[in-house]
Amino acid sequence: MAQKKVHCDCLETIKPVRDTLDVINGKWKIPIIISIGVGNDRFTDIQESIPGISPKVLAKELKDLEQHQLLRRIIIEEYPVKISYQLEEYADTLTPLIYALKDWGINHRKKVTESFS
Amino acid sequence: MAQKKVHCDCLETIKPVRDTLDVINGKWKIPIIISIGVGNDRFTDIQESIPGISPKVLAKELKDLEQHQLLRRIIIEEYPVKISYQLEEYADTLTPLIYALKDWGINHRKKVTESFS
DNA sequence: TATAGTAGTTACCTAAAGGAAAGTGAAATT
DNA sequence: AATTTCACTTTCCTTTAGGTAACTACTATA
């Protein structure tokens, strides 16, 4: 009695989703992980593999990803000194998510182009 | 000859991923879809089911999602008039992505809390 | 008559994201 | 000696996201 109809609870799903979104937010983090994942390990190569990214943004995102323990910045003590970016093993846990993002994007583009035919 | 070593190509993955990110960007769109998906169909119920969302942001995101054909705003001609938000069938295609986001978030929280024990 | 609920809108503001362009310092190359 | 490469940094600026608070028009309820 005095029973109010309330909203359905979905926090068990929303909370972890938001935790994920907090880590991979923005346009650039997942693309950077993909680029390093296929073998780009130098700053300039990563930059050239991602259309539209500026060095400022790339530097900032690389720092964020390092702090989240998704990649490592490695200084190679040769002459001249080189910098190599490598994914941490933990970044592999993102693989299912990356495929889900990719698959949905492929399907979505199909849908959008079909609606113009 | 004159062959320069170039970056590895990963555009086939990055492009669709960015298409997806363009649709589901921000903190709120996926949580809103989850909330409606579990049965919240009224503005106020959706708002109360998502901690921290303001009516302004909710109204704006609902319009965006309607434009992307992920949900529908339905006017129920009773007295008083009611508004119901319903997911389009197309929103079901987001399910694997939502599970990927949820699972990674759960695992990530486990990792973060473990590192403090 | 007063209060509460529904579905928002409006105005104002801050912070973060991101783009453009140039610069930097060290080393290598021509 | 001049240019190029690498890995950024710096400055300046605009856009977008999002937060806060108040307000609206309508209806229902006490």
Side-chain angles (χ1 to χ4, degrees), chain B residues 4 25-28 52 54 56-57 60-61 79-80:
Chain B
K4 247 189 182 179
N25 58 359
K27 295 162 66 174
W28 303 113
S54 71
K56 183 191 99 172
V57 168
K60 190 230 167 204
E61 299 290 57
Y79 298 94

Side-chain angles (χ1 to χ4, degrees), chain B residues 26-41:
Chain B
K27 295 162 66 174
W28 303 113
K29 292 204 178 66
I30 293 288
I32 289 166
I33 288 170
I34 292 167
S35 175
I36 300 176
V38 299
N40 297 305
D41 73 319

